[in-house]
């Protein structure tokens, strides 16, 4: 609430500072990091289907689906059926075969032997492996039997779910139990391209001519650019393959990934694009291959860029808060919000994962702060306006009261003057009183109207070259007459300076300062009127040895009708209009007026007027 007393600039600065101080917390808040992921998920879901995908037509998923499970189950599929399927597929000569299945234990020897024979028909074969007790000291690899894998590539089939359970990325390499295995998707893409071993650099992994943005520091994470929800890739039921109901041409020279898709198979995980049920493992692997082959990588912008972007949003918000107000400020914030949304959508298409959730939160927070700041400024100015209006009304009442006094006297005297019984000398006295009071009344009304008209700018200045010394001589002379009643000496120290000004108004202003000096000083003191010349300005100052003005009232005495608390109750009559009028005159001349004062140690009023 203290802010209510501060200037709008200070209020805005304080709120801007709050926004900047809160930024790091917003950017690195776990909850908002989650929001960032959700935002990017939404963009992935909402964006239109990819206009071009080389990989989509090259991948075929061979699904051990519910129909296969019903006919050839239970799962896991027995080795004999698997062997029969492999034999049938080998006739179609796919370029690469990847098995998202674990084959760690020996089965029926005859069935295993048949499977081994079938697998040997594939020149580019990938078998799945998984790390058991991941992260524990007793971790070990669940590798395929050496008999199955003696001429195959072994790859890990782990997904890397985020804390919310969604799989947004894959670890390109999995390390544990003193062995490292590349991801099935990466190996599948590599063999499909016929590339050599992946090349590891600090910031990336290179596969043939493709550079994968997966840094060592980030554990070789690769974000998956999902082509769409489940069903985006060509899919054949394993049952149809065994029953030879599929066209072998479908598999020729393709990358085939085999795995379980049956609901009860347990190989389903949630992804940003999956809806009711999770996505099958082979579809996720296919999306990894697609991300690599189509080179549609998604790069998170990183903490430094995240902070920088946050600062940028805040910078824009703060600048808007400092420069703009009300409707314009609102429009600026609407524009900024729209830009953020557009940038969020565009970034994913450009291959960047923006921390858009954090940025929007920063923006909403800044917008909220701007609203609070504007509100408090408005409240403050309204409070000030109400106070000024109340004071104005009060002072007008005071003036009305001052006007009433002479009016009552005039009314009373004018009634009596016509009475025949009133003696002649008393009649003359009454006429004098009427004249005096009506003059006072005219003076009061004149002053009141002058200040109103000057303030409204309806009195034009009659500017001419004025000899300032001459003006001061004349005014000081009149001032001396006025000061005589208190035996106050009025001195003048003036240079011969020419100034373009309205002589009458200027005389009024200086005379007013002198009479104030007399009114608010004790007897037998002195007043000094000094005129000095600077390079661009002329100053006229009036210094007295009077009672001075309290610091809190130094600004306020220039307000219309303001009188200091002390003088309101004091013996010197006044209306509080004089200084307001002087200020108006000085400002109309392009100058300014200020007072230096020590309570009990006198005051010096200085007017500065531009030479031109
Ligand atoms: P008025 O003198 O009619 O009250 P002014 O506008 O000239 O109105 O002055 C406003 C108030 O400022 C005065 O009532 C007085 O309290 C204070 N003031 C003005 N001049 C002086 C001065 N020289 N020394 C002390 N107080 C002053």
């Amino acid at each position: 609430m203290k802010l209510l007393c501060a200037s709008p600039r200070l209020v805005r600065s304080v709120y801007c500072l709050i926004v900047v101080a809160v930024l790091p917390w917003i950017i690195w808040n776990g909850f908002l990091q989650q929001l960032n992921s959700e935002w990017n998920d939404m963009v992935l879901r909402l964006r239109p289907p990819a206009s071009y995908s080389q990989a989509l037509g090259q991948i075929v998923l061979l699904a051990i689906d519910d129909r296969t499970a019903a006919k050839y189950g239970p799962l896991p599929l027995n080795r004999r059926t698997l062997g029969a399927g492999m034999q049938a597929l080998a006739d179609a000569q796919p370029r690469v075969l990847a098995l998202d299945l674990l084959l760690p234990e020996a089965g029926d020897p005859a069935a295993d032997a048949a499977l081994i024979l079938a697998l040997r028909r594939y020149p580019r074969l990938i078998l799945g492996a998984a790390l058991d007790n991941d992260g524990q000291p007793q971790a070990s690899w669940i590798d395929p039997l050496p008999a199955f894998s003696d001429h195959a590539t072994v790859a890990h089939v782990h997904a890397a779910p985020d804390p919310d359970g969604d799989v947004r990325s894959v670890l390109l390499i999995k390390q544990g139990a003193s062995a490292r295995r590349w991801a099935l998707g990466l190996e599948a893409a590599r063999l499909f391209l016929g590339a050599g071993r992946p090349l590891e650099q600090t910031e990336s992994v290179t596969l043939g001519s493709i550079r994968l943005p997966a840094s060592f520091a980030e554990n070789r994470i690769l974000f998956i650019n999902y082509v769409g929800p489940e069903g985006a890739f060509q899919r054949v039921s394993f049952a149809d393959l065994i029953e030879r109901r599929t066209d072998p041409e479908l598999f020729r020279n393709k990358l085939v990934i085999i795995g379980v898709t049956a609901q009860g198979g347990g190989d389903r995980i949630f992804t940003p694009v999956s809806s009711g049920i999770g996505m099958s493992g082979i579809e996720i692997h296919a999306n990894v291959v697609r991300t690599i082959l189509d080179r549609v990588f998604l790069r998170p912008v990183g903490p430094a860029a995240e902070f920088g972007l946050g600062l940028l949003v805040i910078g824009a918000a703060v600048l808007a808060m400092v420069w703009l107000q009300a409707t314009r400020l609102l429009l600026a914030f609407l524009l900024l919000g729209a830009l953020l949304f557009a940038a969020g959508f565009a970034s994913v298409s450009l291959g960047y994962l923006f921390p858009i959730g954090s940025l929007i939160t920063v923006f909403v927070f800044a917008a909220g702060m701007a609203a609070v700041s504007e509100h408090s400024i408005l409240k403050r100015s309204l409070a000030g306006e109400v106070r000024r209006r109340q004071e104005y009304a009060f002072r007008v009442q005071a003036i009305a009261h001052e006007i009433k006094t002479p009016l009552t006297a005039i009314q009373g005297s004018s009634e009596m003057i016509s009475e025949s019984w009133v003696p002649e000398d008393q009649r003359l006295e009454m006429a004098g009183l009427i004249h005096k009071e009506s003059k006072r009344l005219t003076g009061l009304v004149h002053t009141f109207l002058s200040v109103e008209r000057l303030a409204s700018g309806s009195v034009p200045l009659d500017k001419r070259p004025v000899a300032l010394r001459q003006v001061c001589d004349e005014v000081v002379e009149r001032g001396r007459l006025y000061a005589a009643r208190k035996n106050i000496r009025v001195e003048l120290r003036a240079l011969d300076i020419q100034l373009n000004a309205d002589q009458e108004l200027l005389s009024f202003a200086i005379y007013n300062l002198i009479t104030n000096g007399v009114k608010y000083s004790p007897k037998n003191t002195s007043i000094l009127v000094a005129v000095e010349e600077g390079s661009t300005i002329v100053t006229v100052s009036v210094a007295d040895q009077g009672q001075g003005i309290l610091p809190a009232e130094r600004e306020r005495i220039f307000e219309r009708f303001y009188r200091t608390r002390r003088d309101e109750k004091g013996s010197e009559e006044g209306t509080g209009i004089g200084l307001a009028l002087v200020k108006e005159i000085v400002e109309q001349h392009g100058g300014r007026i200020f007072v230096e004062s020590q309570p009990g140690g006198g005051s010096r009023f200085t007017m500065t007027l531009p030479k031109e």
Side-chain angles (χ1 to χ4, degrees):
M1 280 304 103
K2 272 262 185 285
L3 277 179
L4 273 180
C5 316
S7 75
R9 186 179 288 233
L10 184 68
V11 175
R12 288 198 183 102
S13 309
V14 169
Y15 282 105
C16 290
L17 272 178
I18 296 176
V19 173
V20 175
V22 165
L23 173 67
W25 179 84
I26 292 182
I27 293 282
W28 286 300
N29 177 292
F31 175 72
L32 295 175
Q33 295 290 350
Q34 178 63 39
L35 211 66
N36 292 339
S37 306
E38 297 288 345
W39 168 273
N40 288 314
D41 293 354
M42 188 185 77
V43 177
L44 281 179
R45 276 197 297 274
L46 292 185
R47 70 183 173 168
S51 55
Y52 167 76
S53 170
Q54 193 206 346
L56 218 53
Q58 306 293 335
I59 302 170
V60 181
L61 303 182
L62 198 49
I64 301 173
D65 54 6
D66 287 301
R67 206 152 58 76
T68 313
K71 256 184 141 170
Y72 302 98
L75 297 179
L77 216 54
N78 67 65
R79 296 279 161 83
R80 193 169 302 281
T81 314
L82 192 61
M86 294 300 91
Q87 280 293 357
L89 181 67
D91 294 341
Q93 294 180 341
R95 196 188 308 185
V96 179
L97 174 67
L99 263 78
D100 182 15
L101 299 170
L102 299 178
L103 301 169
E105 68 286 305
D108 167 53
D112 278 1
L115 179 60
I116 290 167
L117 273 181
L119 291 178
R120 286 209 174 133
R121 293 183 66 195
Y122 295 90
R124 295 176 184 183
L125 175 68
I126 302 160
L127 296 182
L131 190 61
D132 196 21
N133 287 318
D134 193 3
Q136 309 287 323
Q138 68 272 29
S140 64
W141 279 99
I142 307 171
D143 279 339
L145 280 182
F148 293 130
S149 65
D150 61 355
H151 77 293
T153 301
V154 178
H156 88 77
V157 292
H158 284 280
D162 284 344
D164 63 352
D166 277 7
V167 176
R168 296 185 179 87
S169 57
V170 64
L171 290 177
L172 285 186
I173 198 154
K174 184 102 183 157
Q175 191 155 1
S178 54
R180 304 168 90 218
R181 301 251 187 273
W182 291 99
L184 186 136
L186 177 130
E187 291 288 26
R190 181 178 72 81
L191 291 183
F192 189 77
L193 294 169
R197 297 301 311 159
L199 205 70
E200 286 189 69
Q201 288 112 345
T202 326
E203 289 305 318
S204 59
V205 170
T206 307
L207 207 62
S209 64
I210 305 176
R211 245 182 103 232
L212 285 70
S215 74
F216 175 75
E218 295 291 329
N219 294 325
R220 303 275 185 225
I221 268 195
L222 183 81
F223 284 88
I224 307 170
N225 197 338
Y226 286 96
V227 73
E230 178 111 34
F233 296 88
Q234 223 169 21
R235 186 177 286 209
V236 176
S237 165
F238 197 82
D240 285 346
L241 177 77
I242 294 176
E243 291 155 15
R244 307 241 173 206
R245 277 195 281 156
T246 52
D247 177 6
E249 283 308 309
L250 207 68
F251 302 106
R252 196 169 310 282
N253 216 19
K254 298 283 166 64
L255 162 58
V256 180
I257 306 174
I258 303 179
V260 179
T261 63
Q263 304 268 353
D267 192 14
R268 281 185 177 274
I269 321 178
F270 279 97
T271 69
V273 290
S274 44
S275 45
I277 55 167
M279 187 180 266
S280 58
I282 52 171
E283 185 99 16
I284 297 178
H285 291 307
N287 273 294
V288 173
V289 178
R290 182 260 162 171
T291 306
I292 298 172
L293 291 185
D294 282 350
R295 302 174 197 225
V296 283
F297 302 111
L298 294 172
R299 303 167 185 84
V301 296
E306 231 169 82
F307 195 71
L309 285 169
L311 271 184
L312 215 68
V313 172
I314 288 220
V318 163
L319 282 184
M321 277 162 84
V322 169
W323 282 337
L324 307 172
Q325 284 151 32
T327 321
R328 283 182 184 193
L329 184 64
L330 179 74
L331 287 177
F333 268 94
L334 286 179
L335 186 72
L336 191 60
L339 275 178
L340 269 178
F341 271 93
F345 270 93
S347 67
V348 175
S349 323
L350 294 173
Y352 289 98
L353 296 173
F354 263 40
I356 212 78
S358 307
L359 295 184
I360 287 177
T361 310
V362 167
F363 161 75
V364 169
F365 185 72
M369 278 294 148
V372 173
S373 140
E374 285 306 295
H375 177 254
S376 68
I377 290 168
L378 201 70
K379 214 167 141 184
R380 174 186 166 279
S381 85
L382 272 179
E385 189 55 34
V386 168
R387 182 175 46 77
R388 270 192 295 279
R389 275 174 188 274
Q390 279 170 349
E391 282 181 10
Y392 190 82
F394 175 76
R395 303 290 171 181
V396 168
Q397 273 170 18
I399 295 283
H401 186 259
E402 289 224 23
I403 292 173
K404 232 170 90 184
T405 319
L407 268 180
T408 318
I410 292 170
Q411 205 180 9
S413 305
S414 56
E415 253 173 39
M416 279 174 66
I417 209 161
S418 53
E419 296 289 344
S420 53
W421 53 265
V422 179
E424 194 55 28
D425 54 340
Q426 222 175 324
R427 213 187 286 272
L428 278 177
E429 204 180 305
M430 279 175 191
L433 184 77
I434 289 173
H435 181 67
K436 202 180 105 207
E437 289 299 311
S438 56
K439 255 176 81 179
R440 191 154 89 89
L441 199 58
T442 314
L444 257 172
V445 172
H446 187 256
T447 319
F448 180 72
L449 289 180
S450 307
V451 78
E452 290 299 318
R453 275 161 50 203
L454 252 182
S456 68
S458 56
V459 179
L461 292 184
D462 182 16
K463 274 191 174 181
R464 288 154 205 245
V466 171
L468 207 50
R469 182 173 180 124
Q470 230 174 307
V471 172
C472 288
D473 271 340
E474 183 267 326
V475 173
V476 166
E477 212 40 61
R478 275 197 285 139
R480 281 184 183 137
L481 292 177
Y482 184 77
R485 64 181 177 125
K486 284 171 103 173
N487 195 27
I488 290 177
R489 225 176 48 249
V490 185
E491 277 181 56
L492 172 67
R493 242 183 260 154
L495 300 171
D496 249 336
I497 303 168
Q498 283 276 107
L499 194 70
N500 214 18
D502 185 316
Q503 183 170 341
E504 204 179 315
L505 291 179
L506 201 59
S507 307
F508 175 90
I510 302 169
Y511 183 70
N512 216 287
L513 294 181
I514 297 172
T515 52
N516 272 357
V518 175
K519 269 160 68 177
Y520 305 111
S521 295
K523 287 181 179 164
N524 307 320
T525 54
S526 65
I527 291 172
L528 174 65
V529 180
V531 179
E532 282 155 20
E533 188 176 19
S535 54
T536 55
I537 52 163
V538 174
T539 61
V540 181
S541 61
V542 178
D544 61 44
Q545 297 172 329
Q547 57 206 27
I549 303 150
L550 290 171
E553 294 187 296
R554 267 174 222 156
E555 281 289 318
R556 301 214 59 197
I557 53 172
F558 296 102
E559 287 174 19
R560 267 177 270 176
F561 307 121
Y562 188 85
R563 303 199 75 207
T564 60
R565 282 168 185 273
R566 183 197 51 216
D567 292 323
E568 285 234 287
K569 299 178 202 118
S571 55
E572 287 295 345
E573 276 194 7
T575 53
I577 287 181
L579 281 181
L581 203 49
V582 174
K583 185 170 181 242
E584 207 57 57
I585 291 168
V586 174
E587 284 177 358
Q588 298 258 337
H589 278 84
R592 64 186 198 96
I593 181 165
F594 59 92
V595 63
E596 299 151 283
S597 180
Q598 288 295 325
S603 311
R604 181 167 61 190
F605 286 81
T606 308
M607 310 193 294
T608 64
L609 299 163
K611 273 185 179 170
E612 288 307 314

